[in-house]
Amino acid sequence: MWQSVSRLLSEHLGETYTITEKEELSGGDIHRAHRVTNGKTDVFVKYDTRDLLPIFTAESDQLSALAKSGTVRVPQVYGVGYDRDYSFLLLEYLPLKPLDAHHAYCLGQQLARLHQWSDQPQFGLDFDSDLATTPQPNRWQRYWNVFFAEQRIGWQLQLANEKGLHYGDIEQIIAIVSHRLKSHHPQPSLLHGDLWPANCGVSAAGAFIFDPACYWGDRECDLAMLPLYPDLPAQIYDGYQSIWPLPASFIDRQPLYQLYYLLNRANLFGGEYIETARQAVECLFGDELK
């Protein structure tokens, strides 16, 4: 694999890239990762089995879309490749520290500008993405209430059902979610999609975000999940509000948007997350499901 990595880096950088040092990195819950260097340029190499190449290609495309917006900082993509046994994604290597109050405020401003960027008439994406290891469908849809009800909540409930986890009648819950969002007509915004402490940090160049689960959706979804992670400084909200204030009605939709991530945790990890998701469903829909 390392010969293929060197060859691709040489093509991208326009000069021979000979790996002089490799360091395996810890902390990756999904794929293996190394830092490699030629003594001049450090590169983050994320790799897995060859059949997972489409996942790395999709991640590369999402990072490129975020970079194209010119609003948020993401690692530079050096390339996606494969050999006989492995597929890999090559990124700019960034030594990162956790967000502090100042950089959280700056990141909040960047997110607001990202959400304001470009015009897109529909919700979705040209390809499906992944939320952690969960496939995330992004079929284009004109109506936000239908998109979120079917491709977010309904999708997670169907995955749960396949695992033997039942939270109530799926079609009924989809109908309730769709009805609750029917009068809400947000403009489609490009979302990071999985904004939590492990997917953002501070480098010498400022705040960065990475490991996206992008799609065009309601901007409130990126903000709704932040309270689930108290490690993220609250100043991220202040920065966001200084650029594009959230409507007062956001607080009513926030628990509904959080449910998508709670269901995903339950589907991925089970255990206590199942009960947390079950309580959220009961709180949101209990009276209507009886």
Side-chain angles (χ1 to χ4, degrees), residues 207-225:
F208 273 79
I209 56 175
F210 42 91
D211 286 347
C214 290
Y215 64 100
W216 292 85
D218 183 359
R219 64 183 179 125
E220 295 176 2
C221 290
D222 264 352
L223 283 299
M225 67 182 294

mmCIF file of all heavy atoms in Angstrom, residues 207-225:
data_model
loop_
_atom_site.group_PDB
_atom_site.id
_atom_site.type_symbol
_atom_site.label_atom_id
_atom_site.label_comp_id
_atom_site.label_asym_id
_atom_site.label_seq_id
_atom_site.Cartn_x
_atom_site.Cartn_y
_atom_site.Cartn_z
ATOM 1 N N ALA A 207 -9.590 27.164 13.630
ATOM 2 C CA ALA A 207 -10.527 26.055 13.820
ATOM 3 C C ALA A 207 -10.707 25.270 12.528
ATOM 4 O O ALA A 207 -10.776 25.848 11.437
ATOM 5 C CB ALA A 207 -11.869 26.585 14.296
ATOM 6 N N PHE A 208 -10.767 23.939 12.659
ATOM 7 C CA PHE A 208 -10.978 23.038 11.529
ATOM 8 C C PHE A 208 -12.137 22.099 11.839
ATOM 9 O O PHE A 208 -12.390 21.757 13.003
ATOM 10 C CB PHE A 208 -9.731 22.198 11.257
ATOM 11 C CG PHE A 208 -8.720 22.841 10.361
ATOM 12 C CD1 PHE A 208 -7.852 23.798 10.846
ATOM 13 C CD2 PHE A 208 -8.641 22.483 9.025
ATOM 14 C CE1 PHE A 208 -6.906 24.387 10.028
ATOM 15 C CE2 PHE A 208 -7.707 23.069 8.190
ATOM 16 C CZ PHE A 208 -6.835 24.028 8.684
ATOM 17 N N ILE A 209 -12.821 21.656 10.781
ATOM 18 C CA ILE A 209 -13.804 20.585 10.914
ATOM 19 C C ILE A 209 -13.454 19.496 9.904
ATOM 20 O O ILE A 209 -12.834 19.757 8.876
ATOM 21 C CB ILE A 209 -15.247 21.081 10.707
ATOM 22 C CG1 ILE A 209 -15.409 21.771 9.344
ATOM 23 C CG2 ILE A 209 -15.661 22.010 11.837
ATOM 24 C CD1 ILE A 209 -16.844 22.184 9.040
ATOM 25 N N PHE A 210 -13.842 18.274 10.208
ATOM 26 C CA PHE A 210 -13.497 17.142 9.345
ATOM 27 C C PHE A 210 -14.478 16.010 9.604
ATOM 28 O O PHE A 210 -15.458 16.183 10.338
ATOM 29 C CB PHE A 210 -12.045 16.688 9.592
ATOM 30 C CG PHE A 210 -11.639 16.656 11.038
ATOM 31 C CD1 PHE A 210 -11.785 15.515 11.791
ATOM 32 C CD2 PHE A 210 -11.117 17.806 11.653
ATOM 33 C CE1 PHE A 210 -11.420 15.488 13.125
ATOM 34 C CE2 PHE A 210 -10.745 17.787 12.988
ATOM 35 C CZ PHE A 210 -10.906 16.624 13.726
ATOM 36 N N ASP A 211 -14.259 14.850 8.996
ATOM 37 C CA ASP A 211 -15.154 13.685 9.096
ATOM 38 C C ASP A 211 -16.625 14.083 8.905
ATOM 39 O O ASP A 211 -17.470 13.858 9.768
ATOM 40 C CB ASP A 211 -14.976 12.987 10.456
ATOM 41 C CG ASP A 211 -13.687 12.210 10.533
ATOM 42 O OD1 ASP A 211 -13.057 11.997 9.478
ATOM 43 O OD2 ASP A 211 -13.287 11.817 11.644
ATOM 44 N N PRO A 212 -16.955 14.667 7.754
ATOM 45 C CA PRO A 212 -18.324 15.156 7.547
ATOM 46 C C PRO A 212 -19.318 14.064 7.205
ATOM 47 O O PRO A 212 -18.949 12.948 6.836
ATOM 48 C CB PRO A 212 -18.157 16.117 6.365
ATOM 49 C CG PRO A 212 -17.036 15.508 5.571
ATOM 50 C CD PRO A 212 -16.081 14.933 6.601
ATOM 51 N N ALA A 213 -20.587 14.417 7.348
ATOM 52 C CA ALA A 213 -21.704 13.583 6.874
ATOM 53 C C ALA A 213 -22.647 14.539 6.130
ATOM 54 O O ALA A 213 -23.795 14.739 6.505
ATOM 55 C CB ALA A 213 -22.413 12.909 8.039
ATOM 56 N N CYS A 214 -22.127 15.127 5.062
ATOM 57 C CA CYS A 214 -22.770 16.263 4.399
ATOM 58 C C CYS A 214 -24.085 15.927 3.708
ATOM 59 O O CYS A 214 -24.301 14.811 3.251
ATOM 60 C CB CYS A 214 -21.834 16.863 3.359
ATOM 61 S SG CYS A 214 -20.402 17.730 4.021
ATOM 62 N N TYR A 215 -24.919 16.932 3.630
ATOM 63 C CA TYR A 215 -26.084 16.972 2.748
ATOM 64 C C TYR A 215 -26.642 18.387 2.819
ATOM 65 O O TYR A 215 -26.254 19.176 3.675
ATOM 66 C CB TYR A 215 -27.150 15.940 3.146
ATOM 67 C CG TYR A 215 -27.783 16.144 4.508
ATOM 68 C CD1 TYR A 215 -29.033 16.753 4.641
ATOM 69 C CD2 TYR A 215 -27.146 15.715 5.666
ATOM 70 C CE1 TYR A 215 -29.622 16.934 5.893
ATOM 71 C CE2 TYR A 215 -27.724 15.888 6.912
ATOM 72 C CZ TYR A 215 -28.955 16.499 7.029
ATOM 73 O OH TYR A 215 -29.533 16.678 8.260
ATOM 74 N N TRP A 216 -27.522 18.716 1.904
ATOM 75 C CA TRP A 216 -28.218 19.992 1.946
ATOM 76 C C TRP A 216 -29.474 19.801 2.784
ATOM 77 O O TRP A 216 -30.346 19.003 2.435
ATOM 78 C CB TRP A 216 -28.571 20.455 0.535
ATOM 79 C CG TRP A 216 -27.375 20.823 -0.287
ATOM 80 C CD1 TRP A 216 -26.587 19.983 -1.019
ATOM 81 C CD2 TRP A 216 -26.797 22.122 -0.438
ATOM 82 N NE1 TRP A 216 -25.563 20.672 -1.621
ATOM 83 C CE2 TRP A 216 -25.669 22.007 -1.296
ATOM 84 C CE3 TRP A 216 -27.115 23.391 0.045
ATOM 85 C CZ2 TRP A 216 -24.882 23.086 -1.650
ATOM 86 C CZ3 TRP A 216 -26.329 24.480 -0.319
ATOM 87 C CH2 TRP A 216 -25.232 24.320 -1.150
ATOM 88 N N GLY A 217 -29.533 20.512 3.921
ATOM 89 C CA GLY A 217 -30.654 20.343 4.830
ATOM 90 C C GLY A 217 -30.940 21.623 5.583
ATOM 91 O O GLY A 217 -30.454 22.703 5.230
ATOM 92 N N ASP A 218 -31.733 21.509 6.628
ATOM 93 C CA ASP A 218 -32.038 22.652 7.490
ATOM 94 C C ASP A 218 -30.814 22.953 8.347
ATOM 95 O O ASP A 218 -30.310 22.081 9.058
ATOM 96 C CB ASP A 218 -33.240 22.313 8.372
ATOM 97 C CG ASP A 218 -33.673 23.467 9.261
ATOM 98 O OD1 ASP A 218 -33.042 24.544 9.217
ATOM 99 O OD2 ASP A 218 -34.660 23.289 9.998
ATOM 100 N N ARG A 219 -30.343 24.190 8.302
ATOM 101 C CA ARG A 219 -29.152 24.582 9.059
ATOM 102 C C ARG A 219 -29.268 24.259 10.538
ATOM 103 O O ARG A 219 -28.274 24.008 11.216
ATOM 104 C CB ARG A 219 -28.911 26.077 8.886
ATOM 105 C CG ARG A 219 -30.033 26.977 9.476
ATOM 106 C CD ARG A 219 -29.766 28.436 9.207
ATOM 107 N NE ARG A 219 -30.812 29.316 9.715
ATOM 108 C CZ ARG A 219 -30.584 30.334 10.553
ATOM 109 N NH1 ARG A 219 -29.366 30.580 10.983
ATOM 110 N NH2 ARG A 219 -31.580 31.105 10.943
ATOM 111 N N GLU A 220 -30.501 24.230 11.035
ATOM 112 C CA GLU A 220 -30.703 23.980 12.455
ATOM 113 C C GLU A 220 -30.210 22.600 12.877
ATOM 114 O O GLU A 220 -29.888 22.385 14.054
ATOM 115 C CB GLU A 220 -32.191 24.132 12.800
ATOM 116 C CG GLU A 220 -32.701 25.548 12.614
ATOM 117 C CD GLU A 220 -34.190 25.676 12.867
ATOM 118 O OE1 GLU A 220 -34.833 24.660 13.224
ATOM 119 O OE2 GLU A 220 -34.722 26.790 12.715
ATOM 120 N N CYS A 221 -30.120 21.662 11.935
ATOM 121 C CA CYS A 221 -29.663 20.315 12.283
ATOM 122 C C CYS A 221 -28.221 20.330 12.772
ATOM 123 O O CYS A 221 -27.869 19.564 13.677
ATOM 124 C CB CYS A 221 -29.810 19.386 11.080
ATOM 125 S SG CYS A 221 -31.511 19.000 10.652
ATOM 126 N N ASP A 222 -27.355 21.150 12.172
ATOM 127 C CA ASP A 222 -25.969 21.232 12.634
ATOM 128 C C ASP A 222 -25.882 21.810 14.034
ATOM 129 O O ASP A 222 -24.990 21.458 14.799
ATOM 130 C CB ASP A 222 -25.139 22.101 11.676
ATOM 131 C CG ASP A 222 -24.380 21.287 10.634
ATOM 132 O OD1 ASP A 222 -24.377 20.040 10.736
ATOM 133 O OD2 ASP A 222 -23.799 21.897 9.719
ATOM 134 N N LEU A 223 -26.790 22.721 14.374
ATOM 135 C CA LEU A 223 -26.758 23.364 15.688
ATOM 136 C C LEU A 223 -27.501 22.552 16.744
ATOM 137 O O LEU A 223 -27.159 22.607 17.928
ATOM 138 C CB LEU A 223 -27.387 24.762 15.606
ATOM 139 C CG LEU A 223 -26.579 25.910 14.997
ATOM 140 C CD1 LEU A 223 -25.318 26.156 15.805
ATOM 141 C CD2 LEU A 223 -26.243 25.706 13.545
ATOM 142 N N ALA A 224 -28.483 21.776 16.313
ATOM 143 C CA ALA A 224 -29.352 21.082 17.260
ATOM 144 C C ALA A 224 -28.607 20.077 18.114
ATOM 145 O O ALA A 224 -28.945 19.858 19.283
ATOM 146 C CB ALA A 224 -30.486 20.386 16.509
ATOM 147 N N MET A 225 -27.574 19.446 17.547
ATOM 148 C CA MET A 225 -26.905 18.370 18.270
ATOM 149 C C MET A 225 -25.850 18.862 19.241
ATOM 150 O O MET A 225 -25.367 18.104 20.080
ATOM 151 C CB MET A 225 -26.284 17.384 17.290
ATOM 152 C CG MET A 225 -25.128 17.920 16.478
ATOM 153 S SD MET A 225 -24.488 16.691 15.310
ATOM 154 C CE MET A 225 -23.824 15.445 16.419
#
